[in-house]
Amino acid sequence: MEPSVWTERMLTALEEGVKGGKWYSLMDKVWQKDNLRASFAKVKRNGGKAGVDHQTIESFEARLAENLEHLCQGLQEGSYQPQAVRRVWIPKPGKQEKRPLGIPTVRDRVAQGALRQVLEPIFERDLAPQSYGFRPGRGGKDARRRVDALLKAGYTWVVDVDWQAYFDAISHE
């Protein structure tokens, strides 16, 4: 959870719930400069290639204050539009076939990260504890440890679902 976004009052509301179960005015948390800076730091730490605009993390950082100000204004005014995603094909380990990978621009990765830092804590508190996919601080090894513990406790059934290329097969409209 990003401390620059979540105040003590908001953390209390997150723990105790919000009246009516609805959050309001979250977008103003997304465009906060501290949140955008923290998001950029994570983008930089993760590395990665340039998107369709050919702007690298290094070139974005060279004009960081200006780039974050422009992103902040676009988010505030509602004029921010994500750019197209650069498609590359990467090999599947141990196979001849390749899988598609979409590379967003650095600016879009910063915006997505800033949004995630605001929304993730709200949804994370309600997700099932046995869910491990794409969760902060959780991964495949955690899921395997849980399955091992359940088997040792006497459970005998395991359900694993992995739909091959499911995301590529669904309508994105």
Side-chain angles (χ1 to χ4, degrees):
M1 181 172 330
E2 186 53 48
S4 62
V5 175
W6 290 89
T7 64
E8 283 302 315
R9 185 169 159 240
M10 290 172 67
L11 289 171
T12 300
L14 187 61
E15 288 301 315
E16 297 175 4
V18 178
K19 187 177 182 179
K22 293 184 181 180
W23 285 85
Y24 296 94
S25 301
L26 291 174
M27 195 59 191
D28 65 323
K29 313 303 184 266
V30 174
W31 66 60
Q32 285 181 10
K33 295 281 177 49
D34 288 344
N35 187 33
L36 293 174
R37 262 190 293 284
S39 179
F40 173 75
K42 288 181 181 178
V43 168
K44 182 179 176 181
R45 201 167 37 250
N46 290 340
K49 302 289 184 185
V52 294
D53 63 355
H54 305 289
Q55 185 174 42
T56 64
I57 292 170
E58 295 76 21
S59 64
F60 190 92
E61 185 176 32
R63 299 176 63 177
L64 185 60
E66 182 181 333
N67 285 325
L68 293 183
E69 179 61 35
H70 187 257
L71 178 56
C72 176
Q73 286 178 356
L75 291 167
Q76 281 180 320
E77 297 166 0
S79 61
Y80 166 79
Q81 291 290 315
Q83 294 183 324
V85 175
R86 185 166 67 99
R87 174 72 73 186
V88 296
W89 293 86
I90 60 173
K92 288 186 174 184
K95 297 183 179 180
Q96 291 289 355
E97 64 183 303
K98 294 184 177 190
R99 70 177 183 88
L101 178 67
I103 303 174
T105 64
V106 174
R107 180 194 69 145
D108 290 344
R109 281 183 264 168
V110 171
Q112 291 167 10
L115 185 63
R116 183 189 48 73
Q117 290 172 167
V118 172
L119 294 178
E120 189 172 75
I122 295 170
F123 289 96
E124 189 61 32
R125 64 187 288 269
D126 293 330
L127 293 176
Q130 66 272 16
S131 172
Y132 291 90
F134 304 99
R135 302 268 307 273
R138 293 170 170 242
K141 288 181 182 178
D142 300 305
R144 286 189 293 276
R145 279 193 282 275
R146 178 69 177 138
V147 168
D148 184 54
L150 290 170
L151 290 171
K152 287 176 179 169
Y155 290 88
T156 58
W157 289 85
V158 174
V159 177
D160 180 28
V161 178
D162 186 5
W163 291 319
Q164 183 178 356
Y166 178 72
F167 187 75
D168 297 326
I170 61 173
S171 170
H172 293 203
E173 291 177 16

